[in-house]
Amino acid sequence: HNPGLKDRIVRRGDLRCSILETLRHDTAGVVSSESELARLNAATRVAVRKSLHALVLEGEVRYLQRQGRGRGVALRTPA
C-alpha cells in the first residue's frame, strides 16, 4: 500500500534512500549541485557522488545539463 516503502526495502535504507526522499519531498525534485545534496543529507560529497552514480545506473535519477559551473540533479519522473 506504500510504494515508497518498496524503494527503502530494496536499498536497505542507505544513503540512496535519503537522496531519493530529499529530492522527492524537500527540493521538489531538483537541486543545484551535488554539494547542496550533500549538505541536505549531512553526508560527504564523495558518498553522495557514489550513491548518485548507483541511482543513475538504476534509472532513478538523472543529471540535468546546465550552462555554467556544476550539474543539477533531478529526480527522473516515472514512465
Side-chain angles (χ1 to χ4, degrees), residues 15-16 19 34 37 45-63 71 73:
L15 183 56
R16 294 174 296 164
I19 289 171
E34 292 174 351
L37 198 53
R45 285 185 309 160
V46 173
V48 167
R49 187 172 295 130
K50 286 181 182 180
S51 294
L52 281 173
H53 180 69
L55 288 169
V56 167
L57 291 175
E58 293 171 13
E60 292 293 330
V61 169
R62 66 180 172 85
Y63 282 100
R71 293 187 292 186
V73 179

Side-chain angles (χ1 to χ4, degrees), residues 24-69:
R24 284 184 182 132
H25 301 290
D26 298 335
T27 65
V30 179
V31 293
S32 62
S33 68
E34 292 174 351
S35 296
E36 181 182 353
L37 198 53
R39 281 190 299 276
L40 290 169
N41 284 288
T44 65
R45 285 185 309 160
V46 173
V48 167
R49 187 172 295 130
K50 286 181 182 180
S51 294
L52 281 173
H53 180 69
L55 288 169
V56 167
L57 291 175
E58 293 171 13
E60 292 293 330
V61 169
R62 66 180 172 85
Y63 282 100
L64 294 174
Q65 296 300 325
R66 298 183 328 160
Q67 294 178 352
R69 292 182 47 181

